[in-house]
Amino acid sequence: MTMASSNTPIPVDDGFNEYESSLKRQKSTTSKVWDEMTKLECENKNELKAQCNHCKTIFSAKSSSGTSHLRRHLNSCLKKVNKDITQYTIATQPSPEGVPSIKNYKFDADECRKAISTFLVCGKHSFRTVEEPDFRYMMRIASPNFKNISRHTVARDVLMYYAKERDHVKEELPKAPGLICLTSDNWNLEHTNDEYICITAHWVDKDWKLQKRIIRFRALFPPYDGLNIAGELVLCLSQWGIDKKIFSITLDNASYNDVMISCFKNRFRANRAILCDGAFFQVRCCAHILNLIVTAGLELADDVVCKIRNGIRYIRKSGIRRKRFYDVADKSFHLNVTKKLRQDVCVRWNSTYLMLESSLYYKDVLDYWGQRDKDYQMFAVSNEEWSNVAILCKFLKVFYDVTCFFSGSNYPTANLYFRGVWKVHKVLLDKVKGPYSFLTPMVKQMQEKFNKYWAEYSLILSCAATLDPRYKLNYAQYCFNTIYGIHASDFVETILSNLRLLFDEYVKKSKSTSSSLAGSSNVSDKNPVDSGLDEHNDNSADFGGYFDESDDYKRYLNESSTRSEKSQLDIYLEEPELELNSQIDVLDYWSKSSVRYNELSLLARYLLAIPISTVASESAFSMGKKVITPLRSSLKPKTVQAVVCLDDWMRAKGFSAEIGCKKDDDDDDDDEDDEDDDVSSVAF
């Protein structure tokens, strides 16, 4: 038995190259002559013929012959007199004269199949949808020329479109100005017990718009430890060609992530592709830390929370009870019943907060219900407990609001970190000394978690907050004064020194190439005045020749000028701040300031692209649940990745917004006041 040759290529399911076969498809004919010509099949496969649809004349149709002779025939064809009205449609927009125009129409099978793939991917529909009789009936009515396709064909189409779009993203990422930030998270699929990893790239493009793309959504091979995950990350970044463009990575607090980051840093240090020796490389997910803090406190308020939770479950469980409850709320208490009682998910504290908030809204109705329903009386809440719930809700609202701001992925969040963490820190310090004794043990429990993760504010994210023109260093000074008093200046100085370190290292790296060229030219160039002094120094006054201090004096002048010259960072910090609660787009500010602060603005581009939560990757898992349902659990890993990534990329290109902005014919009476929030100008 002989061993296989080492030169024999081994097919590897690496999540990247396995899609190449999908691109090797027959090229479609694009010349307009084929609108009026038909290809004929010949016995000899190397010989192709074309027949005129008008006069039925047959011509050669070899690819080497081109289509010029076919076009010349069509221009002079005697039987080409009447136009086929079936190939024309009336345009939806009238001509400038007000007369509806007629335009040529040709059914494009490729575009139709691409539209079907888009429908399946963005709607998370099963590929088997195209084989359903209702779908085929709809397509036949919409276009009689449509030919039915199978689920296998549409699956191949999705892989092909994914491969094409992936190549576009692969060209875009290395050309991104500056460095790229990552978020990564893992997810266990219950009904298959597979472990998936999602990696998302974040950057600020040349137009100063925040961009994000999912670049990996794959099932991992066991063991699911830090070394294996680090290898998956390294492979992914090298395949996308961005392994030397990474600025930071945001992760949750899983223990294996520490091992993974250690391996990651070592590799990046070897390639010299990391700033400040990786001191600011890892960012811990702030939303995850807030979840740990609040969950630790809510454990001590479990009694009253369980009462409300079970009472709401009792009312919502029966359709008759639910209808009677809202009828009473509407007719007897005149409440707006469009706001419903909410049931929480025990493992998500924010849903518990929303449940308590909705219960306070229906407090009087719940008390009324408890007086008349014997089965509900075991869930009845006393007046004192209601008062405590109201205080607890007001306390938790700070955490809820901060979590909502931290969880954004379509606007910068790094600049919001400092203010959000300070608000949490301040409310914990205030409540632990406050008048509400029932809150004290809960707050102490939460303080322990806070000190574990945020005793020292993240330096890299504090630097990002300094580059928000509403905050700068004065806001940090104010916040630290309220907490640490006379020691506040030490914390501010730490932030400033680290910001200077980042700025200086960035400037040094950005000028490394140009400085080497400039250095070589400075050595060869010689000041003609200096040359004259060297050659004719008879009249120089050396005052005894004890020592020549001229060189030392030049160095002194250079050092003095360097000390007196202010950097762009110093000039920026000296300017007055903007109004604290002003609604600004921080990226738009730096876009307009990039001419004045050309170097500092590039550092701002890096820092403001840092996501402070892993929500961008976690949201892909919510989409993954719709893609890998129990009925679709046999999908291949490459198909799952193609569907999830393609959906994300199409949304990033504005596909959903483009389709959604076209109002349906029967939507004229819809409320016109519904508008999307402007998240780009977010502020607390």
Side-chain angles (χ1 to χ4, degrees):
M1 183 176 179
T2 59
M3 294 183 64
S5 171
S6 59
N7 294 328
T8 304
I10 302 175
V12 179
D13 183 13
D14 61 356
F16 212 82
N17 297 319
E18 57 188 318
Y19 298 93
E20 300 307 320
S21 59
S22 302
L23 290 172
K24 298 176 181 178
R25 300 187 64 183
Q26 184 177 359
K27 185 179 179 181
S28 61
T29 54
T30 57
S31 176
K32 291 185 178 180
V33 301
W34 298 112
D35 295 348
E36 301 174 72
M37 290 279 183
T38 303
K39 282 190 174 183
L40 300 178
E41 296 182 359
C42 302
E43 295 181 1
N44 185 0
K45 293 183 179 181
N46 296 325
E47 185 179 2
L48 294 176
K49 297 290 184 181
Q51 185 180 52
C52 176
N53 294 343
H54 306 292
C55 65
K56 307 303 180 183
T57 307
I58 297 177
F59 302 90
S60 172
K62 288 184 179 180
S63 58
S64 58
S65 302
T67 57
S68 300
H69 63 297
L70 302 179
R71 188 178 295 106
R72 285 194 298 270
H73 168 77
L74 290 172
N75 291 335
S76 60
C77 183
L78 297 177
K79 292 193 176 183
K80 184 183 175 183
V81 178
N82 298 321
K83 305 293 184 182
D84 185 4
I85 196 64
T86 61
Q87 292 296 315
Y88 286 79
T89 58
I90 298 178
T92 56
Q93 297 295 332
S95 63
E97 293 79 14
V99 180
S101 60
I102 297 179
K103 62 179 183 179
N104 191 17
Y105 162 77
K106 177 178 180 295
F107 174 75
D108 192 327
D110 290 339
E111 283 299 317
C112 184
R113 283 168 58 170
K114 185 176 181 180
I116 291 173
S117 298
T118 302
F119 163 74
L120 296 176
V121 168
C122 294
K124 287 81 176 176
H125 301 294
S126 169
F127 294 154
R128 197 180 292 273
T129 302
V130 298
E131 296 180 345
E132 293 178 2
D134 293 341
F135 179 86
R136 291 184 170 180
Y137 171 74
M138 176 187 69
M139 293 303 300
R140 187 169 65 252
I141 295 299
S143 178
N145 295 327
F146 174 74
K147 293 182 179 180
N148 292 333
I149 55 177
S150 68
R151 65 183 186 275
H152 303 293
T153 300
V154 79
R156 287 195 299 270
D157 286 350
V158 168
L159 296 181
M160 181 187 67
Y161 298 139
Y162 164 79
K164 288 182 178 179
E165 193 63 32
R166 180 206 61 192
D167 291 342
H168 294 156
V169 178
K170 189 179 179 182
E171 291 178 3
E172 184 180 5
L173 283 176
K175 294 178 182 177
L179 302 179
I180 295 172
C181 302
L182 301 176
T183 56
S184 177
D185 202 4
N186 291 5
W187 168 58
N188 182 265
L189 184 60
E190 294 180 0
H191 50 269
T192 63
N193 204 29
D194 289 330
E195 190 82 8
Y196 281 80
I197 185 172
C198 180
I199 305 171
T200 309
H202 306 254
W203 74 96
V204 177
D205 65 16
K206 59 182 177 61
D207 297 321
W208 287 89
K209 301 297 182 184
L210 187 65
Q211 302 288 343
K212 73 175 184 69
R213 301 288 188 275
I214 295 175
I215 58 175
R216 194 78 159 182
F217 192 93
R218 297 285 292 181
L220 291 170
F221 295 102
Y224 310 127
D225 55 14
L227 289 174
N228 191 21
I229 296 173
E232 187 75 15
L233 273 166
V234 170
L235 175 63
C236 173
L237 298 182
S238 62
Q239 288 173 340
W240 285 93
I242 56 174
D243 48 333
K244 294 185 179 180
K245 284 180 67 72
I246 302 304
F247 182 68
S248 70
I249 182 169
T250 304
L251 305 163
D252 62 19
N253 294 286
S255 57
Y256 56 75
N257 282 331
D258 295 331
V259 178
M260 184 265 286
I261 284 295
S262 178
C263 299
F264 226 42
K265 282 184 179 179
N266 292 336
R267 184 179 182 88
F268 277 28
R269 286 192 189 104
N271 295 337
R272 297 182 179 180
I274 190 170
L275 281 176
C276 300
D277 198 36
F280 309 116
F281 185 65
Q282 182 182 7
V283 177
R284 295 188 181 275
C285 175
C286 297
H288 188 254
I289 293 173
L290 277 173
N291 180 63
L292 295 175
I293 293 172
V294 179
T295 303
L298 280 177
E299 290 176 354
L300 301 181
D302 206 37
D303 293 342
V304 65
V305 171
C306 281
K307 270 189 182 182
I308 294 175
R309 178 184 295 128
N310 293 330
I312 292 176
R313 184 181 293 120
Y314 169 78
I315 292 173
R316 286 165 53 97
K317 189 174 182 180
S318 167
I320 297 176
R321 273 197 300 267
R322 187 166 61 247
K323 184 178 183 305
R324 285 178 54 205
F325 179 87
Y326 289 122
D327 285 344
V328 170
D330 182 21
K331 296 175 182 178
S332 301
F333 294 90
H334 308 292
L335 295 177
N336 180 10
V337 294
T338 56
K339 181 176 181 178
K340 303 296 184 181
L341 278 175
R342 302 187 67 138
Q343 186 72 59
D344 73 331
V345 180
C346 298
V347 294
R348 296 182 180 177
W349 77 266
N350 53 338
S351 68
T352 302
Y353 163 76
L354 294 174
M355 179 189 71
L356 296 177
E357 186 186 45
S358 70
S359 68
L360 282 172
Y361 181 76
Y362 285 103
K363 170 184 174 299
D364 295 335
V365 187
L366 291 171
D367 288 342
Y368 174 88
W369 197 269
Q371 295 170 6
R372 288 159 176 77
D373 189 335
K374 293 181 180 179
D375 294 331
Y376 181 81
Q377 288 178 356
M378 60 185 299
F379 309 125
V381 180
S382 66
N383 289 332
E384 181 182 357
E385 288 175 326
W386 276 124
S387 299
N388 291 343
V389 169
I391 295 168
L392 179 61
C393 257
K394 187 177 180 180
F395 172 64
L396 291 179
K397 189 177 189 309
V398 176
F399 296 85
Y400 179 79
D401 290 343
V402 171
T403 300
C404 289
F405 283 114
F406 281 2
S407 301
S409 58
N410 296 321
Y411 56 88
T413 54
N415 56 312
L416 305 177
Y417 162 85
F418 185 87
R419 192 176 185 184
V421 173
W422 173 77
K423 282 182 177 290
V424 169
H425 198 176
K426 188 72 167 61
V427 76
L428 288 176
L429 291 175
D430 291 345
K431 294 302 179 184
V432 78
K433 299 177 292 186
Y436 309 115
S437 57
F438 81 97
L439 273 183
T440 302
M442 181 191 309
V443 174
K444 287 183 177 179
Q445 192 88 353
M446 295 169 74
Q447 274 188 324
E448 289 181 10
K449 286 289 184 181
F450 181 93
N451 293 331
K452 179 179 179 180
Y453 294 105
W454 281 339
E456 295 181 0
Y457 286 36
S458 169
L459 289 174
I460 186 67
L461 297 178
S462 299
C463 291
T466 306
L467 294 180
D468 189 318
R470 295 169 294 186
Y471 305 145
K472 297 191 178 181
L473 280 177
N474 284 337
Y475 185 75
Q477 180 78 47
Y478 160 77
C479 292
F480 284 132
N481 273 334
T482 61
I483 296 175
Y484 300 112
I486 59 175
H487 302 291
S489 57
D490 297 337
F491 294 92
V492 176
E493 187 59 36
T494 302
I495 294 175
L496 181 59
S497 61
N498 279 276
L499 184 57
R500 291 189 190 280
L501 176 66
L502 273 171
F503 180 66
D504 293 341
E505 180 156 346
Y506 168 74
V507 171
K508 181 175 64 176
K509 282 198 170 188
S510 64
K511 293 184 176 180
S512 58
T513 306
S514 58
S515 63
S516 62
L517 296 174
S520 61
S521 62
N522 289 338
V523 172
S524 59
D525 293 342
K526 199 168 187 179
N527 192 316
V529 178
D530 293 339
S531 302
L533 290 175
D534 289 339
E535 295 174 3
H536 308 283
N537 57 1
D538 294 337
N539 295 326
S540 61
D542 61 0
F543 297 103
Y546 179 67
F547 67 88
D548 185 3
E549 74 279 13
S550 59
D551 292 338
D552 190 50
Y553 179 62
K554 287 180 182 178
R555 281 194 296 271
Y556 169 77
L557 290 177
N558 290 334
E559 291 174 1
S560 300
S561 63
T562 302
R563 284 195 296 267
S564 61
E565 184 181 353
K566 293 181 179 179
S567 68
Q568 293 180 14
L569 177 59
D570 295 324
I571 298 172
Y572 163 76
L573 292 175
E574 288 178 359
E575 290 186 343
E577 299 85 2
L578 300 182
E579 178 65 29
L580 181 62
N581 292 322
S582 58
Q583 301 287 318
I584 69 164
D585 183 343
V586 68
L587 292 180
D588 182 62
Y589 168 85
W590 281 107
S591 172
K592 295 174 180 176
S593 304
S594 57
V595 176
R596 186 179 183 191
Y597 304 117
N598 59 323
E599 293 172 341
L600 186 60
S601 65
L602 295 179
L603 179 62
R605 189 195 294 272
Y606 299 165
L607 293 179
L608 295 175
I610 299 175
I612 62 175
S613 74
T614 58
V615 169
S617 293
E618 289 179 2
S619 61
F621 299 143
S622 298
M623 182 166 52
K625 291 178 182 177
K626 300 176 183 178
V627 175
I628 321 171
T629 63
L631 298 178
R632 302 179 71 191
S633 56
S634 60
L635 284 176
K636 294 181 180 179
K638 69 175 184 179
T639 307
V640 173
Q641 174 166 271
V643 171
V644 173
C645 290
L646 192 56
D647 177 67
D648 176 72
W649 299 343
M650 295 184 74
R651 293 178 188 278
K653 291 170 66 176
F655 173 79
S656 297
E658 177 185 349
I659 300 301
C661 69
K662 298 179 181 179
K663 183 177 283 191
D664 295 336
D665 295 338
D666 55 352
D667 288 345
D668 295 337
D669 297 331
D670 288 350
D671 187 3
E672 296 178 359
D673 296 331
D674 294 337
E675 296 180 359
D676 293 335
D677 296 333
D678 182 10
V679 295
S680 63
S681 59
V682 67
F684 286 92

